[in-house]
Amino acid sequence: MPTWKMSRRALMRASAAAVLAASAAGRGAFAATAGTPRRGGILKISVNARADSLNPMKPKSSAGHMAVELLYSGLTRIGTDLSAQPDLAESWTANDQATEFTFRLREASFHDGSPVTAADVVATITAIRDPASASPGRTSTGPIAAVEAVDDRTVRFRLDGSFADLPVVLGSVYTKIIQAAALADPAALETRPAGSGPFLLKEFDPGRILSVRRNPAYFDPERPYLEGIDQLVYPDATGEAAALINGDTDVLLEVGIANFDRLATTAGIVGERVATGNFLNLVMRVDTRPFDDLRVRRALAMSLDREALVEAVLEGYGRPADDSIIAPEASLYTAPPKAVYDPAAARQLLAEAGYPDGVEATLYAAAVPPLRTTLAVAVKEFASQAGFRIEVRTVAMDEYLANVFRKAGFYVGSWNMGVTQDFWYNTLLTSKGALADSGWSDPRFDEVIAAARRTTDAAERTRLYAEAQALVVSNLPYIVPFFLDRLAARRDYVEGLALHPLNQPYQLDRVWLGEGAPARQE
Amino acid sequence: MAEGWSRLARNPAGLTGAVILSFLLLVIVAGPALAPYDPTTFHLTRRLEGPSLDFLLGTDQFGRDLLSRILTGARPAVLFGVGATALAVLGGGVAGMASGYVGGLIDEVAMRALDVVLAVPGLLFALLIVTVLGSGSANAMLAVAVSFLPGFARLARAGTLSIRERDFVAAAIARGEAHGYILRREILPNLMPPIVVEASVRVAHALMIGATLSYLGLGAQAPDSDWGLLVAEARDYLFRNGWLLACPALAIGISALGFNLLGDGLRDLLNPELDA
């Protein structure tokens, strides 16, 4: 495999480091680098699918998530460093076992002027936990046993087990606080918001436009800076890019890798890029030949040049990962040992495992996202140096879910970054994980993950997660070749756009329009 | 026979088709040997380049040589078209002849059933079959064959109906020949000209439907260098390296044109009435 120049990757690392530094320093640092926020103006933002529902509890398209974030507030927000930050709750405390949390609410009001009270929080959380709600928030909010209003502005959560991450997961888009009275009519919530968010709904024409205007009674006297936001639907990626180039829209939040350079070099458009923990993984079922042998899994891992994969599959828009599903952006992170690239040693290892003449394997990839097939083709080519003869099979998504996921011995997975380390570890890798798909299980691993849930001491939790990660990386149920970057583009007058390592939140209440913005006042 | 070739040579469309197909035949036989590189080898320092002396048609997103990929893709593309058509001719021909020769209620039922299938557009029908069978080149070929089958069956039946009324068939029956003999020796030879003409045009269709199915991800699978797949992969890079899209698309177009022109030429050649 030929080598190539390092300049682009060096540049990439530098920019990723800059992003990390900015997120560590938080909001203050961001504002300082980008000038003083200005008030006013309507931001036009494009989305590729309509906002299907405005009900915070329902699963939604990303446009729907964005709308809910504009219209509702949660108890907490998830900061760019993935820590819990105050939103409706101005402070909170937990007991030592992390089984009881008390949140203190700030003075805030719903869009109709009535105050946000503890009773609204209790009603919302109760509704989410009702199985009838079918809310994704029901399972992701941890083992909540009871939630009660201590007084008008104090809420107490009692948990069945320890769950130190509660304040973080309560910042999710599914746990926005809904006015208690509005919960009686879930159908109305689809189109009529009952929240306390930074923007008020002005117009909602699904499939065409969602228009919001500044909430003058929002509890933060400073934000939002914008007078309003128009979310416009462009189902076709080419049309969406053209709209940004023509100046019909100001922000394009999901830019494909192949289009990014072209957009970013267009005059008046700035490319935005942030490192995320979104990843693709090669799942090698540890109960299926030939990957039931750890030496075969390690041989495959050693045959892959991660830097080259980032370049070939992601065109440089990502970072090599070292087989841990936890990205450096996660809180309580410890770096795993660097993955070794050594095809000769890999071939040797394969011979020791009883495959001196190489080994055959079929690698399945779902057709969506297409990156899965691209990775599979690249892996086939790289791994052939170590003696792997891989056949790539691309299958439709429904076939993938029915016959490949959790069943086939070797396939490409694709996941977004988890809010907490606990989330993906508990979902994918513990013995009872809801989506555990590698066949690997280790009682010690389960124990460590449970222990990390029990303690609120950050240093101890960091140590525990490091141990869990070491167990995963040494047993190698997955090969995680890289973490993806998120790519977006904005007109150069759009300031304060802070891309998050998670797919949500969008943090549009921090955006303002600077010099050169078109006058779109009403 | 010699007269046939000279007549083909005097027919510009047929001649052009024959020339294109001769060239295609060369590529099919020798393509992989002519390819300057292994079609799956990555040249990661030379990704998405335009044509150069090293890479005559440029490189794709992995730095694979486009010329090599197109040359190795010719064999599966053409074999797909020819294979699918051959299957359809075989199946449709036998069914049509049998149905036309037997006649009566069986013929009636069989033809109405085929009418139903014919009413569904070919590509849609092929898509349906591939969806049921699962994606892959073999399944796609089968799907195209099945969707072509009713057309050939109709053609064969129509021919059989008219031929079986001819005197030489009546004579054969009078001689007491077996049905199999009559079908093979009396009817089939007279059926062949229209079927050969139809088949040569159909190959072009099959080739394009095959490329379409691969383009949609239902036919050949990555990292094959199937032409339709090459076009599909090039979509994302349209603005960065247009050659990636243009070259395989041209290859598909020219090959289909070759079969079409040859079909036209053959029709003129095999249809004595046009000779007047």
Side-chain angles (χ1 to χ4, degrees), chain A residues 440-520:
Chain A
W440 176 73
S441 78
D442 182 338
R444 175 64 196 159
F445 177 80
D446 295 354
E447 216 173 283
V448 171
I449 295 299
R453 274 190 165 211
R454 276 196 297 275
T455 171
T456 51
D457 176 45
E460 173 64 4
R461 297 182 76 205
T462 305
R463 193 195 65 72
L464 288 165
Y465 283 130
E467 185 185 344
Q469 177 173 260
L471 284 170
V472 173
V473 171
S474 59
N475 285 292
L476 221 59
Y478 299 147
I479 288 172
V480 184
F482 46 62
F483 294 114
L484 283 69
D485 287 351
R486 170 165 304 112
L487 303 174
R490 60 176 169 91
R491 302 296 309 190
D492 51 9
Y493 48 75
V494 177
E495 307 271 9
L497 185 68
L499 297 183
H500 203 281
L502 297 175
N503 281 15
Q504 287 88 32
Y506 297 97
Q507 312 185 107
L508 295 176
D509 57 333
R510 295 172 184 182
V511 171
W512 76 94
L513 297 176
E515 293 295 332
R520 288 202 196 108

Side-chain angles (χ1 to χ4, degrees), chain B residues 90-140:
Chain B
L90 202 69
V94 169
M97 272 172 71
S99 177
Y101 187 74
V102 174
L105 185 67
I106 294 178
D107 180 41
E108 206 54 43
V109 171
M111 284 305 119
R112 289 300 85 76
L114 285 182
D115 283 349
V116 172
V117 179
L118 267 178
V120 183
L123 179 59
L124 201 64
F125 195 57
L127 276 175
L128 187 78
I129 296 170
V130 175
T131 310
V132 174
L133 295 180
S135 43
S137 285
N139 288 344

Side-chain angles (χ1 to χ4, degrees), chain A residues 246-261:
Chain A
N246 300 337
D248 293 340
T249 57
D250 303 320
V251 176
L252 173 48
L253 281 176
E254 289 175 34
V255 180
I257 289 169
N259 275 323
F260 185 70
D261 284 344

